[in-house]
Amino acid sequence: MYMMKDIVRDGDPVLRKIAKPVTFPLSETDKKLAADMMEYLINSQNPEFAEKHHLRAGVGLAAPQVGISKQMAAVLVPAEDDESNTDKKTTDKYSLKLVLINPVIISNSVQKAQLFEGEGCLSVDKDIPGYVPRSARITVRYQDFSGNKQTIRIKNYPAIVCQHEIDHLQGHLFYDRINKKEPFAAESDVIFV
């Protein structure tokens, strides 16, 4: 089980590398990596467990963030009451619960979306203010645990989370996308989530 001490912090070179593709069939090590990353997210979203074990809440965790340079990320986005943010209807307590293996964004909207309060990251301990422009809607192709190619369309908050995690696999951190001169500049048609 991963704890905060296992999360690689900003400044570690692994966070700036392009992660290597995962090969199939999945090794037991890769299966455990996927399970452990998802377990961290589940535990971190449980207020009692998180407080007891000093976990920062997370909605996504990429393999480089635990020191493993592989193209794998876990995403766990709690469901919102008002709308579904993916093309799949869900009755689960999560709007998106997924392990992305070798993910690629194959299409994205021109319209941008960003979090009103800005983004944070388990690997970045300091608060870095500013808007992080992302595509409001994306289509992601990834591989499942059997190696089969899957495609999912995602919008709004889950899309932002997936783009943040895919950035990790490309050696980018969220603050790379903040406008350095005007950190709170926003496009006129941006969606705030």
Side-chain angles (χ1 to χ4, degrees), residues 1-5 39-58 122:
M1 175 172 59
Y2 288 128
M3 301 301 249
M4 280 306 298
K5 67 178 177 50
E39 182 183 32
Y40 176 90
L41 297 177
I42 292 168
N43 290 338
S44 78
Q45 291 181 26
N46 175 327
E48 292 170 8
F49 189 95
E51 183 178 354
K52 179 180 177 183
H53 296 283
H54 308 288
L55 302 181
R56 283 174 49 199
L122 294 171

PDB file of all heavy atoms in Angstrom, residues 1-5 39-58 122:
ATOM      1  N   MET A   1       0.851  -1.184   0.000  1.00  0.00           N
ATOM      2  CA  MET A   1       0.000   0.000   0.000  1.00  0.00           C
ATOM      3  C   MET A   1       0.894   1.243   0.000  1.00  0.00           C
ATOM      4  O   MET A   1       1.806   1.351   0.809  1.00  0.00           O
ATOM      5  CB  MET A   1      -0.902  -0.021   1.237  1.00  0.00           C
ATOM      6  CG  MET A   1      -1.734   1.227   1.382  1.00  0.00           C
ATOM      7  SD  MET A   1      -2.969   1.158   2.700  1.00  0.00           S
ATOM      8  CE  MET A   1      -1.993   0.864   4.135  1.00  0.00           C
ATOM      9  N   TYR A   2       0.625   2.147  -0.944  1.00  0.00           N
ATOM     10  CA  TYR A   2       1.394   3.387  -1.009  1.00  0.00           C
ATOM     11  C   TYR A   2       0.943   4.358   0.074  1.00  0.00           C
ATOM     12  O   TYR A   2      -0.236   4.460   0.387  1.00  0.00           O
ATOM     13  CB  TYR A   2       1.220   4.067  -2.371  1.00  0.00           C
ATOM     14  CG  TYR A   2       1.930   3.343  -3.497  1.00  0.00           C
ATOM     15  CD1 TYR A   2       1.235   3.008  -4.658  1.00  0.00           C
ATOM     16  CD2 TYR A   2       3.276   3.010  -3.422  1.00  0.00           C
ATOM     17  CE1 TYR A   2       1.873   2.355  -5.699  1.00  0.00           C
ATOM     18  CE2 TYR A   2       3.912   2.356  -4.456  1.00  0.00           C
ATOM     19  CZ  TYR A   2       3.206   2.036  -5.592  1.00  0.00           C
ATOM     20  OH  TYR A   2       3.841   1.388  -6.621  1.00  0.00           O
ATOM     21  N   MET A   3       1.909   5.080   0.614  1.00  0.00           N
ATOM     22  CA  MET A   3       1.652   6.150   1.571  1.00  0.00           C
ATOM     23  C   MET A   3       2.297   7.422   1.004  1.00  0.00           C
ATOM     24  O   MET A   3       2.971   7.369  -0.021  1.00  0.00           O
ATOM     25  CB  MET A   3       2.268   5.799   2.933  1.00  0.00           C
ATOM     26  CG  MET A   3       1.738   4.508   3.517  1.00  0.00           C
ATOM     27  SD  MET A   3      -0.038   4.528   3.744  1.00  0.00           S
ATOM     28  CE  MET A   3      -0.144   4.547   5.491  1.00  0.00           C
ATOM     29  N   MET A   4       2.123   8.542   1.683  1.00  0.00           N
ATOM     30  CA  MET A   4       2.674   9.796   1.167  1.00  0.00           C
ATOM     31  C   MET A   4       4.199   9.723   1.006  1.00  0.00           C
ATOM     32  O   MET A   4       4.752  10.312   0.093  1.00  0.00           O
ATOM     33  CB  MET A   4       2.309  10.975   2.080  1.00  0.00           C
ATOM     34  CG  MET A   4       0.898  11.503   1.876  1.00  0.00           C
ATOM     35  SD  MET A   4       0.480  11.948   0.163  1.00  0.00           S
ATOM     36  CE  MET A   4       1.639  13.251  -0.193  1.00  0.00           C
ATOM     37  N   LYS A   5       4.871   8.952   1.866  1.00  0.00           N
ATOM     38  CA  LYS A   5       6.333   8.835   1.757  1.00  0.00           C
ATOM     39  C   LYS A   5       6.751   8.178   0.445  1.00  0.00           C
ATOM     40  O   LYS A   5       7.884   8.331   0.000  1.00  0.00           O
ATOM     41  CB  LYS A   5       6.902   8.065   2.952  1.00  0.00           C
ATOM     42  CG  LYS A   5       6.493   6.607   2.995  1.00  0.00           C
ATOM     43  CD  LYS A   5       7.113   5.868   4.158  1.00  0.00           C
ATOM     44  CE  LYS A   5       6.665   4.433   4.261  1.00  0.00           C
ATOM     45  NZ  LYS A   5       6.746   3.641   3.055  1.00  0.00           N
ATOM     46  N   GLU A  39      -5.552   1.709  -5.073  1.00  0.00           N
ATOM     47  CA  GLU A  39      -5.785   1.600  -3.627  1.00  0.00           C
ATOM     48  C   GLU A  39      -5.429   2.901  -2.918  1.00  0.00           C
ATOM     49  O   GLU A  39      -6.133   3.339  -2.002  1.00  0.00           O
ATOM     50  CB  GLU A  39      -4.973   0.440  -3.054  1.00  0.00           C
ATOM     51  CG  GLU A  39      -5.200   0.238  -1.559  1.00  0.00           C
ATOM     52  CD  GLU A  39      -4.339  -0.869  -0.964  1.00  0.00           C
ATOM     53  OE1 GLU A  39      -3.198  -1.083  -1.453  1.00  0.00           O
ATOM     54  OE2 GLU A  39      -4.802  -1.502  -0.010  1.00  0.00           O
ATOM     55  N   TYR A  40      -4.329   3.537  -3.336  1.00  0.00           N
ATOM     56  CA  TYR A  40      -3.970   4.819  -2.725  1.00  0.00           C
ATOM     57  C   TYR A  40      -5.108   5.823  -2.920  1.00  0.00           C
ATOM     58  O   TYR A  40      -5.509   6.512  -1.980  1.00  0.00           O
ATOM     59  CB  TYR A  40      -2.676   5.406  -3.308  1.00  0.00           C
ATOM     60  CG  TYR A  40      -2.402   6.772  -2.706  1.00  0.00           C
ATOM     61  CD1 TYR A  40      -1.654   6.892  -1.549  1.00  0.00           C
ATOM     62  CD2 TYR A  40      -2.969   7.923  -3.253  1.00  0.00           C
ATOM     63  CE1 TYR A  40      -1.455   8.137  -0.944  1.00  0.00           C
ATOM     64  CE2 TYR A  40      -2.789   9.166  -2.661  1.00  0.00           C
ATOM     65  CZ  TYR A  40      -2.035   9.274  -1.510  1.00  0.00           C
ATOM     66  OH  TYR A  40      -1.870  10.495  -0.909  1.00  0.00           O
ATOM     67  N   LEU A  41      -5.642   5.907  -4.153  1.00  0.00           N
ATOM     68  CA  LEU A  41      -6.700   6.882  -4.427  1.00  0.00           C
ATOM     69  C   LEU A  41      -7.943   6.598  -3.591  1.00  0.00           C
ATOM     70  O   LEU A  41      -8.542   7.518  -3.024  1.00  0.00           O
ATOM     71  CB  LEU A  41      -7.037   6.890  -5.921  1.00  0.00           C
ATOM     72  CG  LEU A  41      -5.890   7.318  -6.850  1.00  0.00           C
ATOM     73  CD1 LEU A  41      -6.331   7.216  -8.304  1.00  0.00           C
ATOM     74  CD2 LEU A  41      -5.399   8.724  -6.530  1.00  0.00           C
ATOM     75  N   ILE A  42      -8.337   5.340  -3.523  1.00  0.00           N
ATOM     76  CA  ILE A  42      -9.511   4.969  -2.719  1.00  0.00           C
ATOM     77  C   ILE A  42      -9.290   5.343  -1.259  1.00  0.00           C
ATOM     78  O   ILE A  42     -10.140   5.989  -0.624  1.00  0.00           O
ATOM     79  CB  ILE A  42      -9.817   3.463  -2.872  1.00  0.00           C
ATOM     80  CG1 ILE A  42     -10.305   3.165  -4.295  1.00  0.00           C
ATOM     81  CG2 ILE A  42     -10.850   3.000  -1.835  1.00  0.00           C
ATOM     82  CD1 ILE A  42     -10.352   1.684  -4.648  1.00  0.00           C
ATOM     83  N   ASN A  43      -8.138   4.959  -0.712  1.00  0.00           N
ATOM     84  CA  ASN A  43      -7.833   5.265   0.690  1.00  0.00           C
ATOM     85  C   ASN A  43      -7.746   6.765   0.944  1.00  0.00           C
ATOM     86  O   ASN A  43      -8.187   7.258   1.981  1.00  0.00           O
ATOM     87  CB  ASN A  43      -6.526   4.590   1.114  1.00  0.00           C
ATOM     88  CG  ASN A  43      -6.665   3.088   1.222  1.00  0.00           C
ATOM     89  OD1 ASN A  43      -7.755   2.553   1.384  1.00  0.00           O
ATOM     90  ND2 ASN A  43      -5.539   2.390   1.126  1.00  0.00           N
ATOM     91  N   SER A  44      -7.180   7.502  -0.012  1.00  0.00           N
ATOM     92  CA  SER A  44      -6.992   8.941   0.182  1.00  0.00           C
ATOM     93  C   SER A  44      -8.318   9.702   0.152  1.00  0.00           C
ATOM     94  O   SER A  44      -8.418  10.800   0.685  1.00  0.00           O
ATOM     95  CB  SER A  44      -6.040   9.512  -0.876  1.00  0.00           C
ATOM     96  OG  SER A  44      -6.694   9.686  -2.118  1.00  0.00           O
ATOM     97  N   GLN A  45      -9.338   9.105  -0.465  1.00  0.00           N
ATOM     98  CA  GLN A  45     -10.658   9.748  -0.520  1.00  0.00           C
ATOM     99  C   GLN A  45     -11.553   9.330   0.646  1.00  0.00           C
ATOM    100  O   GLN A  45     -12.681   9.804   0.769  1.00  0.00           O
ATOM    101  CB  GLN A  45     -11.339   9.430  -1.859  1.00  0.00           C
ATOM    102  CG  GLN A  45     -10.660  10.107  -3.033  1.00  0.00           C
ATOM    103  CD  GLN A  45     -11.339   9.818  -4.356  1.00  0.00           C
ATOM    104  OE1 GLN A  45     -12.535   9.537  -4.419  1.00  0.00           O
ATOM    105  NE2 GLN A  45     -10.574   9.888  -5.443  1.00  0.00           N
ATOM    106  N   ASN A  46     -11.052   8.453   1.503  1.00  0.00           N
ATOM    107  CA  ASN A  46     -11.769   8.060   2.717  1.00  0.00           C
ATOM    108  C   ASN A  46     -11.260   8.972   3.834  1.00  0.00           C
ATOM    109  O   ASN A  46     -10.123   8.814   4.302  1.00  0.00           O
ATOM    110  CB  ASN A  46     -11.473   6.595   3.033  1.00  0.00           C
ATOM    111  CG  ASN A  46     -12.089   6.129   4.339  1.00  0.00           C
ATOM    112  OD1 ASN A  46     -12.213   6.892   5.290  1.00  0.00           O
ATOM    113  ND2 ASN A  46     -12.459   4.864   4.382  1.00  0.00           N
ATOM    114  N   PRO A  47     -12.080   9.953   4.281  1.00  0.00           N
ATOM    115  CA  PRO A  47     -11.585  10.962   5.225  1.00  0.00           C
ATOM    116  C   PRO A  47     -10.956  10.382   6.488  1.00  0.00           C
ATOM    117  O   PRO A  47      -9.909  10.859   6.932  1.00  0.00           O
ATOM    118  CB  PRO A  47     -12.828  11.791   5.562  1.00  0.00           C
ATOM    119  CG  PRO A  47     -13.741  11.586   4.390  1.00  0.00           C
ATOM    120  CD  PRO A  47     -13.483  10.190   3.901  1.00  0.00           C
ATOM    121  N   GLU A  48     -11.563   9.349   7.072  1.00  0.00           N
ATOM    122  CA  GLU A  48     -11.022   8.781   8.312  1.00  0.00           C
ATOM    123  C   GLU A  48      -9.675   8.097   8.074  1.00  0.00           C
ATOM    124  O   GLU A  48      -8.719   8.302   8.812  1.00  0.00           O
ATOM    125  CB  GLU A  48     -12.014   7.781   8.912  1.00  0.00           C
ATOM    126  CG  GLU A  48     -13.276   8.447   9.434  1.00  0.00           C
ATOM    127  CD  GLU A  48     -14.353   7.433   9.815  1.00  0.00           C
ATOM    128  OE1 GLU A  48     -14.077   6.214   9.816  1.00  0.00           O
ATOM    129  OE2 GLU A  48     -15.477   7.878  10.120  1.00  0.00           O
ATOM    130  N   PHE A  49      -9.607   7.296   7.014  1.00  0.00           N
ATOM    131  CA  PHE A  49      -8.358   6.593   6.693  1.00  0.00           C
ATOM    132  C   PHE A  49      -7.264   7.598   6.347  1.00  0.00           C
ATOM    133  O   PHE A  49      -6.128   7.486   6.801  1.00  0.00           O
ATOM    134  CB  PHE A  49      -8.585   5.620   5.530  1.00  0.00           C
ATOM    135  CG  PHE A  49      -7.428   4.702   5.282  1.00  0.00           C
ATOM    136  CD1 PHE A  49      -7.393   3.425   5.839  1.00  0.00           C
ATOM    137  CD2 PHE A  49      -6.347   5.101   4.487  1.00  0.00           C
ATOM    138  CE1 PHE A  49      -6.310   2.575   5.623  1.00  0.00           C
ATOM    139  CE2 PHE A  49      -5.267   4.264   4.261  1.00  0.00           C
ATOM    140  CZ  PHE A  49      -5.248   2.996   4.838  1.00  0.00           C
ATOM    141  N   ALA A  50      -7.629   8.593   5.528  1.00  0.00           N
ATOM    142  CA  ALA A  50      -6.648   9.595   5.088  1.00  0.00           C
ATOM    143  C   ALA A  50      -6.094  10.376   6.273  1.00  0.00           C
ATOM    144  O   ALA A  50      -4.881  10.620   6.352  1.00  0.00           O
ATOM    145  CB  ALA A  50      -7.288  10.538   4.069  1.00  0.00           C
ATOM    146  N   GLU A  51      -6.962  10.747   7.200  1.00  0.00           N
ATOM    147  CA  GLU A  51      -6.489  11.493   8.365  1.00  0.00           C
ATOM    148  C   GLU A  51      -5.579  10.630   9.242  1.00  0.00           C
ATOM    149  O   GLU A  51      -4.510  11.065   9.668  1.00  0.00           O
ATOM    150  CB  GLU A  51      -7.677  12.008   9.182  1.00  0.00           C
ATOM    151  CG  GLU A  51      -7.251  12.863  10.367  1.00  0.00           C
ATOM    152  CD  GLU A  51      -8.420  13.422  11.157  1.00  0.00           C
ATOM    153  OE1 GLU A  51      -9.580  13.259  10.737  1.00  0.00           O
ATOM    154  OE2 GLU A  51      -8.143  14.033  12.204  1.00  0.00           O
ATOM    155  N   LYS A  52      -5.992   9.395   9.457  1.00  0.00           N
ATOM    156  CA  LYS A  52      -5.209   8.488  10.300  1.00  0.00           C
ATOM    157  C   LYS A  52      -3.817   8.242   9.732  1.00  0.00           C
ATOM    158  O   LYS A  52      -2.831   8.173  10.462  1.00  0.00           O
ATOM    159  CB  LYS A  52      -5.952   7.164  10.447  1.00  0.00           C
ATOM    160  CG  LYS A  52      -5.218   6.142  11.293  1.00  0.00           C
ATOM    161  CD  LYS A  52      -6.006   4.845  11.411  1.00  0.00           C
ATOM    162  CE  LYS A  52      -5.217   3.818  12.211  1.00  0.00           C
ATOM    163  NZ  LYS A  52      -5.924   2.528  12.268  1.00  0.00           N
ATOM    164  N   HIS A  53      -3.717   8.115   8.403  1.00  0.00           N
ATOM    165  CA  HIS A  53      -2.441   7.780   7.762  1.00  0.00           C
ATOM    166  C   HIS A  53      -1.774   8.979   7.076  1.00  0.00           C
ATOM    167  O   HIS A  53      -0.805   8.806   6.338  1.00  0.00           O
ATOM    168  CB  HIS A  53      -2.650   6.643   6.765  1.00  0.00           C
ATOM    169  CG  HIS A  53      -3.083   5.372   7.417  1.00  0.00           C
ATOM    170  ND1 HIS A  53      -2.209   4.553   8.098  1.00  0.00           N
ATOM    171  CD2 HIS A  53      -4.314   4.802   7.529  1.00  0.00           C
ATOM    172  CE1 HIS A  53      -2.884   3.520   8.588  1.00  0.00           C
ATOM    173  NE2 HIS A  53      -4.155   3.646   8.266  1.00  0.00           N
ATOM    174  N   HIS A  54      -2.313  10.181   7.294  1.00  0.00           N
ATOM    175  CA  HIS A  54      -1.744  11.430   6.760  1.00  0.00           C
ATOM    176  C   HIS A  54      -1.617  11.395   5.235  1.00  0.00           C
ATOM    177  O   HIS A  54      -0.579  11.763   4.675  1.00  0.00           O
ATOM    178  CB  HIS A  54      -0.391  11.734   7.407  1.00  0.00           C
ATOM    179  CG  HIS A  54      -0.438  11.701   8.905  1.00  0.00           C
ATOM    180  ND1 HIS A  54      -1.055  12.675   9.656  1.00  0.00           N
ATOM    181  CD2 HIS A  54       0.018  10.773   9.787  1.00  0.00           C
ATOM    182  CE1 HIS A  54      -0.960  12.375  10.943  1.00  0.00           C
ATOM    183  NE2 HIS A  54      -0.312  11.219  11.048  1.00  0.00           N
ATOM    184  N   LEU A  55      -2.692  10.949   4.555  1.00  0.00           N
ATOM    185  CA  LEU A  55      -2.699  10.906   3.094  1.00  0.00           C
ATOM    186  C   LEU A  55      -3.339  12.176   2.547  1.00  0.00           C
ATOM    187  O   LEU A  55      -4.356  12.632   3.063  1.00  0.00           O
ATOM    188  CB  LEU A  55      -3.516   9.700   2.584  1.00  0.00           C
ATOM    189  CG  LEU A  55      -3.086   8.312   3.034  1.00  0.00           C
ATOM    190  CD1 LEU A  55      -3.997   7.270   2.400  1.00  0.00           C
ATOM    191  CD2 LEU A  55      -1.633   8.051   2.673  1.00  0.00           C
ATOM    192  N   ARG A  56      -2.743  12.738   1.511  1.00  0.00           N
ATOM    193  CA  ARG A  56      -3.387  13.833   0.790  1.00  0.00           C
ATOM    194  C   ARG A  56      -4.352  13.214  -0.210  1.00  0.00           C
ATOM    195  O   ARG A  56      -4.026  12.248  -0.892  1.00  0.00           O
ATOM    196  CB  ARG A  56      -2.338  14.679   0.053  1.00  0.00           C
ATOM    197  CG  ARG A  56      -1.603  15.611   0.999  1.00  0.00           C
ATOM    198  CD  ARG A  56      -0.471  16.370   0.359  1.00  0.00           C
ATOM    199  NE  ARG A  56      -0.808  17.017  -0.886  1.00  0.00           N
ATOM    200  CZ  ARG A  56       0.109  17.414  -1.779  1.00  0.00           C
ATOM    201  NH1 ARG A  56       1.387  17.208  -1.548  1.00  0.00           N
ATOM    202  NH2 ARG A  56      -0.251  18.000  -2.877  1.00  0.00           N
ATOM    203  N   ALA A  57      -5.545  13.772  -0.270  1.00  0.00           N
ATOM    204  CA  ALA A  57      -6.564  13.232  -1.176  1.00  0.00           C
ATOM    205  C   ALA A  57      -6.118  13.405  -2.617  1.00  0.00           C
ATOM    206  O   ALA A  57      -5.561  14.440  -2.999  1.00  0.00           O
ATOM    207  CB  ALA A  57      -7.900  13.933  -0.948  1.00  0.00           C
ATOM    208  N   GLY A  58      -6.378  12.370  -3.412  1.00  0.00           N
ATOM    209  CA  GLY A  58      -6.023  12.422  -4.825  1.00  0.00           C
ATOM    210  C   GLY A  58      -7.118  11.830  -5.682  1.00  0.00           C
ATOM    211  O   GLY A  58      -7.884  10.983  -5.240  1.00  0.00           O
ATOM    212  N   LEU A 122      -0.160  15.644  -6.084  1.00  0.00           N
ATOM    213  CA  LEU A 122       0.432  14.928  -4.950  1.00  0.00           C
ATOM    214  C   LEU A 122       1.950  15.048  -4.929  1.00  0.00           C
ATOM    215  O   LEU A 122       2.569  14.943  -3.875  1.00  0.00           O
ATOM    216  CB  LEU A 122       0.024  13.447  -4.982  1.00  0.00           C
ATOM    217  CG  LEU A 122      -1.460  13.161  -4.770  1.00  0.00           C
ATOM    218  CD1 LEU A 122      -1.765  11.695  -5.053  1.00  0.00           C
ATOM    219  CD2 LEU A 122      -1.885  13.538  -3.357  1.00  0.00           C
TER     220      LEU A 122
END
